[in-house]
Structures are given as structure tokens and as C-alpha cells.
Amino acid sequence: MVQPPQPQYTLAWIRHIHEIPQMAWDAMALPLQTPFLEWTWLHNMEQSGSAVANAGWLPNHLTVWRNQELIAAAPMYLKSHSYGEFVFDHQWAELAGRLGIEYYPKLLGMSPFTPAEGYRFLIAPGEAERQLTEIMVAAIDQFCDRNNISGCHFLYVDPDWRSLMEEIGFKKWLHHSFVWQNDGYDTFDDYLARFNANQRRNIKRERKSLDKAGLRLEPITTETMHRANCSLMYDFYADTCDKFGWWGSKYLTRKFFEQLYPDYAHRVALFAAYSEDVDEPVGMSFCLYKGDRLYGRYWGCREEYNHLHFNACYYKPIEWAIDHGIKLFDPGAGGRHKKRRGFPAKPNYSLHRFYADRLQKILVNYIDEINIAEQQEIDAINADLPLKSLS
């Protein structure tokens, strides 16, 4: 029997996303639920000087071509540190050091500085996903072997894609985020009704704090947004990083925020706090949305107001989400305040493969135990939520 000819693929590692046609990239990225793999977002990360080699993020995107047609891609970076990832693998780096293994650079797949689920390889519609994924993983293995890269890591991965990558041999590491879901709420009062009486009173009191302070919160979206709003958001973001001593956490440049307008303004929702006697916002939170998903990222304020943080980062976005058909709201990293405001712990996963044999053996032998402990923590968090019993 005559075998049909096999498609001829060309693989290339690309150091700048601007070398990849935006339309071809977005044909694969736009259908996804996540906004953080779209060409404009990733290009802004690079072009603004945020995710670049000098910051420890050397772009190293894997692409697959058939003739001149882009049919698959993976946004990836060579990392010289572990900052800006929000998956804390410092214990692996310390272990590697004790074993005499150079942990950095490592190869990383994620949307930079974005702890939100959804990373995956981009595959053009109609293409053989598993075949292309296996080809790309083989290219990653070869690249890491040739360049003495200690390991390859994919963070905040898409759940369906995770299953495929596990079959190919990557090991999963369980983590958790705090994520709000719309459980049939038509109004903010419906959301409040889910809490026990004590916490319901607390939230109402925190909401009223804005009125007492003479503040109002207003959303700023595409129709009302200007570049100045985005530049001001950088000021709030930078001030918060400085104020709380988050050393090394001011990852994004002013240029990044300013370049969100106009090409990415359709994804941005700002929640601005105004005082009665001041035209410019005194505080602001920065979110992004796509389809029925909302993502919280950063916030800041000029001076301290009681409970402004909770209102700008949780209550007002939830109210806006309910009004706009949003089903899921991921407010970003951290969880100390989120649990008390109806954000259950939700599992998310990273995927890992080490090319140093000793590290890989330790990963394989202990990761299941680590995952069990993490699941126990998730269960304990969710058992302590201040919600009414549904029974």
C-alpha cells in the first residue's frame, strides 16, 4: 500500500514576537478563553521593555511552519531567575545547587507576570494537535539538551492541555488560586446572600465606608478610556510596589501601561475611585476581561481610605461582572483577603521536566506527595469559607 506523503514542517525559535505575523498568531490565540496569549499582549510585554533579556526574560518562542504558514506556536522564555512567576520553585533551585547542578537558565512557558490559568501551545484550527505537540516537545527536549538547560516548565496551564502533556511525560505540580464564580447571581445582593450573617454585615459595612469617605467607584472601559488613564494606572501600580516593599516586583514599565491604549483597550477594565472634590482618581484597580472571564491584576491609591482596596479590587469588579455576564473572576495572586470575600481556593497546575537525571528522579519520586499536601490545604481553606451551607 502506498503511504500518503507526510506534511513537511519547519521549526524555528524566534527571539522577538514582532517577527511573527500578528494575524497568523491571533488566528490561534483569539479563540482561547485567556486573553494573555494574544499577540498584542505579548508584544507589549517585549516592546515596552518589561519581558526582555535585561529583566531576566529572554523571549524564545517556538514556532512550527508549513511552507510559509504558521501552524503552531509556544510563547516561551529563557529565565535567569524565578521572579515574576508566582510559582515558587526556589526549593528546586536550592536543591539543584546542593547537587552541583546549574538551575538557571531554565526554559519557561507562561504569559509573563500573569498568574492566571490558560497557558497552552497554540495550534491552528484543523491541524493534528497531538502530533504537533509531540513534535514541539521533541524540539524542546533537543534544545534543552544541546544548551545544557536544566529544565522546562509550563505554568498556569490549560486543564485540557495538561492532560495531553502528562501523557507525553511532563509531571504536574498542584497549586491553588482564589477564584470567584457566578453561581446564578443576577444582582450583587444575590452574591451577598451566599454569606453567613456575620460576614454579610461585614461586607455591607465595608461597602458603606466609601460613602462615608465621600468616594465613588466608576468603571472605565473602552468607550471612556484614554491613554492618560493607563499612564495613571502605572503610577498607582508603582506606588503599591514601593509602598509595600515588594522588592523586585515592579516588573512592568510605564510604557507597557500606556501602550495598552488603544490596541488593547477593549480588554481593559479600570475601576477608578473619585473623591467629591478631585477630578482625577484617588485610587484605581486594573482588570482585564475576555468573553465571560475577568482577571484582576494591580491596584493602588494616593492615600489610605478604609476598605477602598476591597471595594476597588473585589466588590466593584464583582458587581460589574454580574452586570456584564461574567462567569469567572480571578482577582490575581495572594489570598489572605480573598477567602473572606467569597473566593474559594481553586486548583491550578504547572508542568515540569528536568534534564538533569537526579533532579528528574527526585521530582518523579516526591511530586505526588507534594500534590497530596497541597490538596489538603485547598480542602482546609474551602472548609473555612464564611458561606451559608447549601444543604
Side-chain angles (χ1 to χ4, degrees):
M1 180 177 179
V2 177
Q3 295 294 324
Q6 296 298 310
Q8 297 298 308
Y9 300 128
T10 301
L11 279 72
W13 294 92
I14 306 295
R15 287 295 174 87
H16 303 284
I17 198 170
H18 69 74
E19 299 174 14
I20 303 170
Q22 179 178 356
M23 288 185 63
W25 183 283
D26 277 345
M28 302 181 292
L30 287 176
L32 302 179
Q33 290 180 313
T34 177
F36 298 113
L37 298 180
E38 294 177 11
W39 190 94
T40 300
W41 178 263
L42 296 174
H43 176 258
N44 191 8
M45 285 283 178
E46 295 179 24
Q47 207 273 335
S48 67
S50 300
V52 293
N54 288 343
W57 292 77
L58 176 62
N60 197 47
H61 310 307
L62 177 58
T63 58
V64 184
W65 307 77
R66 184 190 296 113
N67 298 322
Q68 302 299 313
E69 179 187 7
L70 180 68
I71 59 171
M76 302 188 76
Y77 304 84
L78 283 167
K79 288 295 303 299
S80 59
H81 52 67
S82 292
Y83 296 108
E85 300 172 16
F86 305 94
V87 168
F88 302 103
D89 65 346
H90 301 92
Q91 65 268 42
W92 292 107
E94 292 171 4
L95 175 61
R98 292 199 297 270
L99 295 173
I101 298 168
E102 293 288 338
Y103 193 75
Y104 304 107
K106 61 181 180 179
L107 187 61
L108 180 74
M110 75 173 296
S111 184
F113 322 118
T114 308
E117 185 178 85
Y119 182 89
R120 56 165 297 130
F121 291 169
L122 307 179
I123 307 292
E127 298 293 338
E129 179 179 2
R130 186 182 185 100
Q131 180 185 12
L132 285 169
T133 300
E134 290 176 345
I135 289 171
M136 294 168 77
V137 168
I140 288 169
D141 291 344
Q142 184 181 57
F143 176 87
C144 291
D145 181 62
R146 287 182 175 178
N147 293 281
N148 295 317
I149 305 298
S150 68
C152 178
H153 315 268
F154 301 105
L155 310 187
Y156 299 95
V157 298
D158 175 276
D160 294 332
W161 185 70
R162 170 175 61 83
S163 300
L164 173 57
M165 292 295 283
E166 284 188 83
E167 292 176 10
I168 294 174
F170 277 76
K171 300 299 292 184
K172 67 180 180 183
W173 182 7
L174 174 61
H175 318 278
H176 69 268
S177 305
F178 291 85
V179 177
W180 175 90
Q181 290 182 282
N182 188 330
D183 295 326
Y185 310 138
D186 292 321
T187 66
F188 191 85
D189 285 341
D190 293 338
Y191 153 74
L192 276 182
R194 279 288 287 116
F195 291 92
N196 61 38
N198 184 59
Q199 184 60 7
R200 192 161 58 247
R201 283 193 299 271
N202 287 339
I203 293 175
K204 288 180 177 179
R205 175 176 52 83
E206 290 170 353
R207 295 260 283 176
K208 290 179 180 177
S209 294
L210 292 193
D211 293 335
K212 293 180 179 179
L215 298 179
R216 71 184 190 279
L217 271 169
E218 296 183 2
I220 300 173
T221 54
T222 310
E223 297 79 9
T224 55
M225 190 175 300
H226 301 284
R227 187 181 302 275
N229 302 131
C230 297
S231 183
L232 180 60
M233 187 62 236
Y234 171 80
D235 292 333
F236 287 127
Y237 157 78
D239 180 68
T240 298
C241 292
D242 295 339
K243 187 182 300 180
F244 292 97
W246 295 342
W247 180 84
S249 65
K250 200 188 298 180
Y251 305 118
L252 302 174
T253 64
R254 181 182 298 277
K255 189 175 182 181
F256 173 84
F257 283 90
E258 291 179 344
Q259 289 183 165
L260 291 169
Y261 184 88
D263 292 341
Y264 214 66
H266 64 292
R267 294 275 187 249
V268 176
L270 303 173
F271 295 91
Y274 293 91
S275 177
E276 293 174 345
D277 54 352
V278 179
D279 292 334
E280 190 173 86
V282 299
M284 189 182 291
S285 66
F286 169 50
C287 298
L288 292 105
Y289 63 99
K290 182 178 181 180
D292 63 0
R293 299 194 172 199
L294 177 67
Y295 302 89
R297 301 303 298 118
Y298 307 107
W299 106 286
C301 59
R302 295 200 183 283
E303 59 181 282
E304 295 301 319
Y305 294 92
N306 283 339
H307 309 125
L308 176 57
H309 171 242
F310 301 148
N311 281 278
C313 295
Y314 308 141
Y315 303 142
K316 194 64 177 181
I318 286 174
E319 185 178 41
W320 186 87
I322 293 170
D323 290 343
H324 289 80
I326 299 294
K327 301 300 182 186
L328 181 148
F329 172 32
D330 180 343
R336 185 163 59 93
H337 302 302
K338 298 178 178 68
K339 183 179 77 169
R340 298 295 298 167
R341 287 154 185 89
F343 291 83
K346 179 182 181 295
N348 69 68
Y349 290 90
S350 54
L351 295 168
H352 305 268
R353 174 177 287 179
F354 288 115
Y355 298 97
D357 288 341
R358 286 180 292 174
L359 277 181
Q360 182 65 14
K361 287 177 181 177
I362 293 170
L363 173 71
V364 169
N365 288 335
Y366 290 100
I367 197 64
D368 289 342
E369 183 178 332
I370 294 170
N371 289 341
I372 289 171
E374 179 65 21
Q375 184 61 56
Q376 291 172 343
E377 181 176 353
I378 292 172
D379 294 339
I381 291 170
N382 290 339
D384 193 40
L385 293 171
L387 304 177
K388 293 190 301 187
S389 172
L390 294 178
S391 59

